[in-house]
Amino acid sequence: MSDQLSERINNLVPSATLEMAAKARELRASGKDIIGLSLGEPDFNTPDYIKDAAIQAVKDGYNSYTPVDGYVELKDAIITKFKRDNGLNYERAQIVVSTGAKQALYNVAQACLNQGDEVILPCPYWVSYSDIVKLSDGVPIEVKTSIDNNFKMTPEQLEAAITPKTKMLWYSSPCNPSGSIYSKEELRGLADVLKKYPKIIVVSDEIYEHINYGVTTHASMAAFEDMYDRTVTINGVAKAFAMTGWRIGYIGAPSYIARACNKLQGQVTSGANCIAQRAVITALLESPSRVQYMVDEFKNRRKLILELLNNIDGFKCNEPEGAFYVYPDVTAFFGKTFNGKTINNASDFAMYLLEEANVATVTGDAFGNGNSIRISYAASEEHIREAISRISDSVE
Ligand code: PMP
Ligand code: GLU
């Protein structure tokens, strides 16, 4: 019956991260002892002070439609957060609250892209960027980066990728999946190229901002005066506050883009969930130091997983500066054969690890770089030790 469906949906690739997580869940339900290191989801609970704010909101009778672009009090909390953490000055008309950063990204793509518009994506990029761009009739332009340059795009590479059709540049910093962070100087280098192309809009996805291990200080593209008017800053609470299921993300943007996202959202979702919005006011107004304990724990796990992986021949890791993923190059395993099956690429290797080591990871192909796999270390130390030991045994 797929001929009854739209070409749009038939051409859409399912989210590889969510698909792998579903597969691991299915295998677990059938009795297999699978360790899931595929999904980028903190294994912590949402902090109590945020949960309490949600409970209070229920008791206070928050149950009606909210303003489409978010409660005024939440917008004000977001404005405070942008100023406090990023030195960015936004007004209410520049803020839109959405059902997760994912919807925020989708809104921006729908609002800005016309058929054939090109969007530059430094690889590896977050799994959904490419398909969100395609869903909006845009054309993803992948810029390959190298593990030897910590997976960062250079100004020269950016310049070479720009054509008369370039409409946007999208990146995440800290990066999912590589963990790389563009320093202020590196962002300035990219901004200097963009100076020559004043129409290109930048989407700076900063959802892992607080998950930073202290090697590189977080910087925002919109903090450069000459970039402010054409940068959309994306953020959300899923990662730093362990609130993935609450589904709140937001943008700070030029007001014409914010207005467009508001208009779209008014026809699609009517706005984000009212209780979650109230809870996020508290999450953002409290000091980020209240969630530092999670970052400290991720830092320990990062050290552990890097030590363990670096002991396995064939895994070549860069050192993630933020987020909670490692993105090892696994090309050393390509061409190897097991039980008559040859591992030809990262997808085969991730599948091999799932079947032979009972460990779920994600193929690097999903992030536009087929030399690596992504391993999430948002998992307990015990699970990390056991998973890497199984991986080590399975590749010996
Ligand atoms: N951007 C990046 C880089 C991500 O890793 C994710 C995954 N959660 C998102 C956006 C989407 O976040 P949310 O859960 O708020 O939709
Ligand atoms: N962003 C997380 C990840 O990359 C969650 C999954 C998703 O939103 O696709 O794994």
Side-chain angles (χ1 to χ4, degrees):
M1 293 299 275
S2 68
D3 59 339
Q4 287 290 85
L5 297 173
S6 67
E7 278 177 34
R8 187 185 316 111
I9 209 71
N10 281 332
N11 291 336
L12 181 66
V13 177
S15 159
T17 47
L18 299 183
E19 201 173 41
M20 195 52 147
K23 198 171 200 136
R25 233 178 270 134
E26 224 173 80
L27 286 170
R28 231 177 266 128
S30 75
K32 275 205 155 189
D33 169 27
I34 303 289
I35 301 181
L37 301 184
S38 57
L39 199 58
E41 171 155 71
D43 57 328
F44 293 99
N45 218 318
T46 305
D48 282 343
Y49 65 97
I50 301 174
K51 286 188 201 168
D52 289 344
I55 292 164
Q56 194 57 47
V58 174
K59 288 186 179 156
D60 289 346
Y62 282 98
N63 44 241
S64 309
Y65 287 125
T66 77
V68 169
D69 50 356
Y71 283 122
V72 165
E73 295 88 338
L74 177 52
K75 285 183 164 201
D76 287 348
I78 291 168
I79 288 168
T80 301
K81 173 256 162 324
F82 273 135
K83 186 151 191 58
R84 179 193 65 205
D85 301 342
N86 313 107
L88 296 173
N89 292 308
Y90 287 117
E91 293 174 6
R92 286 179 187 165
Q94 297 178 274
I95 307 290
V96 179
V97 178
S98 299
T99 303
K102 200 180 250 180
Q103 195 207 353
L105 287 157
Y106 182 75
N107 284 350
V108 172
Q110 285 283 319
C112 296
L113 293 175
N114 283 315
Q115 181 84 41
D117 283 346
E118 293 180 355
V119 179
I120 295 178
L121 305 178
C123 299
Y125 49 77
W126 181 47
V127 63
S128 293
Y129 287 177
S130 166
D131 284 285
I132 288 176
V133 166
K134 286 190 218 156
L135 267 180
S136 308
D137 296 329
V139 181
I141 302 295
E142 299 185 348
V143 175
K144 302 288 174 206
T145 65
S146 153
I147 191 168
D148 301 317
N149 189 32
N150 212 2
F151 294 115
K152 289 181 195 176
M153 179 175 69
T154 62
E156 293 73 28
Q157 286 179 305
L158 172 61
E159 178 114 52
I162 293 173
T163 76
K165 288 191 166 172
T166 306
K167 183 74 188 274
M168 300 175 112
L169 160 67
W170 284 29
Y171 64 86
S172 60
S173 178
C175 173
N176 176 2
S178 70
S180 301
I181 298 179
Y182 284 98
S183 68
K184 189 174 174 187
E185 294 68 35
E186 286 165 337
L187 286 182
R188 187 62 254 173
L190 300 178
D192 283 343
V193 172
L194 294 171
K195 254 189 194 168
K196 292 180 247 169
Y197 308 93
K199 282 197 156 322
I200 297 178
I201 297 167
V202 176
V203 170
S204 171
D205 181 346
E206 304 180 15
I207 194 163
Y208 293 94
E209 165 192 10
H210 292 302
I211 304 177
N212 182 316
Y213 303 118
V215 183
T216 307
T217 304
H218 181 80
S220 297
M221 186 64 101
F224 297 125
E225 225 175 284
D226 57 328
M227 293 305 296
Y228 178 81
D229 280 337
R230 50 159 153 159
T231 299
V232 179
T233 309
I234 305 266
N235 214 319
V237 292
K239 313 295 172 178
F241 299 94
M243 295 179 75
T244 48
W246 297 66
R247 311 303 306 125
I248 298 288
Y250 54 88
I251 59 168
S255 49
Y256 75 96
I257 294 181
R259 255 197 317 277
C261 293
N262 187 6
K263 180 162 75 166
L264 175 65
Q265 214 163 262
Q267 292 286 26
V268 179
T269 62
S270 304
N273 174 282
C274 61
I275 303 303
Q277 285 195 49
R278 298 311 301 184
V280 171
I281 296 172
T282 298
L284 296 181
L285 289 182
E286 289 290 321
S287 162
S289 63
R290 292 196 74 167
V291 288
Q292 183 62 32
Y293 67 95
M294 294 191 248
V295 182
D296 293 342
E297 187 54 39
F298 289 135
K299 191 172 181 176
N300 295 337
R301 296 172 186 180
R302 160 181 167 270
K303 184 164 175 278
L304 173 69
I305 199 165
L306 284 175
E307 272 167 19
L308 296 172
L309 283 174
N310 284 332
N311 278 336
I312 308 176
D313 276 348
F315 279 81
K316 182 179 170 191
C317 300
N318 69 312
E319 194 158 313
E321 301 160 271
F324 34 58
Y325 311 99
V326 264
Y327 198 64
D329 181 304
V330 292
T331 46
F333 300 103
F334 297 177
K336 306 261 188 224
T337 300
F338 179 77
N339 276 351
K341 270 198 245 167
T342 304
I343 294 169
N344 288 314
N345 49 44
S347 299
D348 291 347
F349 187 61
M351 208 40 78
Y352 173 79
L353 294 182
L354 184 65
E355 286 166 6
E356 297 303 325
N358 285 344
V359 177
T361 59
V362 187
T363 172
D365 292 306
F367 306 91
N369 169 321
N371 291 338
S372 295
I373 58 167
R374 190 190 78 173
I375 307 178
S376 163
Y377 53 89
S380 69
E381 185 180 322
E382 186 195 344
H383 273 160
I384 292 171
R385 282 190 190 280
E386 173 62 20
I388 307 304
S389 153
R390 288 187 195 176
I391 291 177
S392 176
D393 291 348
S394 77
V395 299
E396 228 164 51

